[in-house]
Structure formats: C-alpha cells, structure tokens
Amino acid sequence: MVAAPPKAPGGGRQGILSLTIKDKSALYAAYMPFVKNGGLFIPTNKSYNLGDEVFMLLTLMEEKEKLPVAGKIVWITPKGSQGNRAAGIGVQFSEQDGGNARTKIETYLAGALKSDRQTHTM
C-alpha cells in the first residue's frame, strides 16, 4: 500500500492562487473550455497533484473586482515538457460558483473559442 502524501495545512488546500489576465490572447491561451464547468491553466513551478483542491482569486482584464473561484487540479504540465510548454496546472472550476467564472470568460472570448490557435494545454 502506498501512503498518501501529507496534506497541506488547512484541509489539503495549498493556499490561494492569485491570477491576473490582462488581455484576450492570454485569456484564450489559458482557458480550458473542454473541461466540465470550464477551467484555467495557471503557470507555476510549485508542485501539485491531480485532484488537489485550490482556491483562485482571478482578475480579468481591467475589472476591479477579483473573482473568487474554487477548483481542483485536472491537468499538470511539468517543468521541461516537450514543445517548450509552460510549466503549470489546469484548474477545473467547481460547480459551487454556478458557472459564473466560465460565463465571464466566455463573454470575453466570444468569437475566439472556435479558433485554431494553440493554447497552453491543447
């Protein structure tokens, strides 16, 4: 039997991630529309495990309000990945926010979601 890694203090959460996305192309590259409830790729060198729960404070474009979003890690791009991809994590938005984060992001990206441009994940 393999022992589970020790939980971070505070119930397994590894702190609050703060993310600011100031332009549409950066938002397009980070957004993960193929994930149920939507998700975002967050560049980071910290190590996480799939399934870890995280809490994000998301600032989109020029908005003054930070959008609080709970989620869990569903994607990991390790350091030194093929294709010079940025190291980081993909966070699936929790159902708790009722689609608020996804709706806001998709409003900003209206028309761009069907693009063939490469993103951080796909």
Side-chain angles (χ1 to χ4, degrees):
M1 190 163 125
V2 177
K7 293 273 188 201
R13 293 180 192 268
Q14 294 199 9
I16 295 175
L17 300 169
S18 189
L19 183 65
T20 299
I21 298 179
K22 293 186 186 284
D23 64 66
K24 205 170 175 173
S25 64
L27 183 59
Y28 174 83
Y31 185 53
M32 301 170 71
F34 53 86
V35 172
K36 183 181 178 206
N37 302 324
L40 277 178
F41 179 83
I42 302 170
T44 181
N45 287 319
K46 280 177 81 176
S47 63
Y48 290 89
N49 295 306
L50 289 175
D52 282 354
E53 291 187 6
V54 294
F55 188 78
M56 297 181 284
L57 288 174
L58 182 60
T59 305
L60 294 173
M61 309 304 171
E62 301 300 319
E63 291 188 13
K64 303 246 184 289
E65 299 262 325
K66 289 183 188 287
L67 193 60
V69 187
K72 77 174 179 189
I73 297 178
V74 295
W75 179 288
I76 297 174
T77 303
K79 285 184 262 190
S81 288
Q82 291 180 338
N84 294 325
R85 292 205 176 268
I89 54 172
V91 178
Q92 176 185 29
F93 301 148
S94 162
E95 293 181 13
Q96 293 171 333
D97 90 330
N100 191 21
R102 180 181 199 144
T103 301
K104 253 189 204 273
I105 289 169
E106 290 187 353
T107 299
Y108 278 118
L109 294 178
L113 288 175
K114 304 252 186 290
S115 171
D116 289 335
R117 285 183 307 164
Q118 195 171 8
T119 69
H120 288 302
T121 54
M122 292 286 202

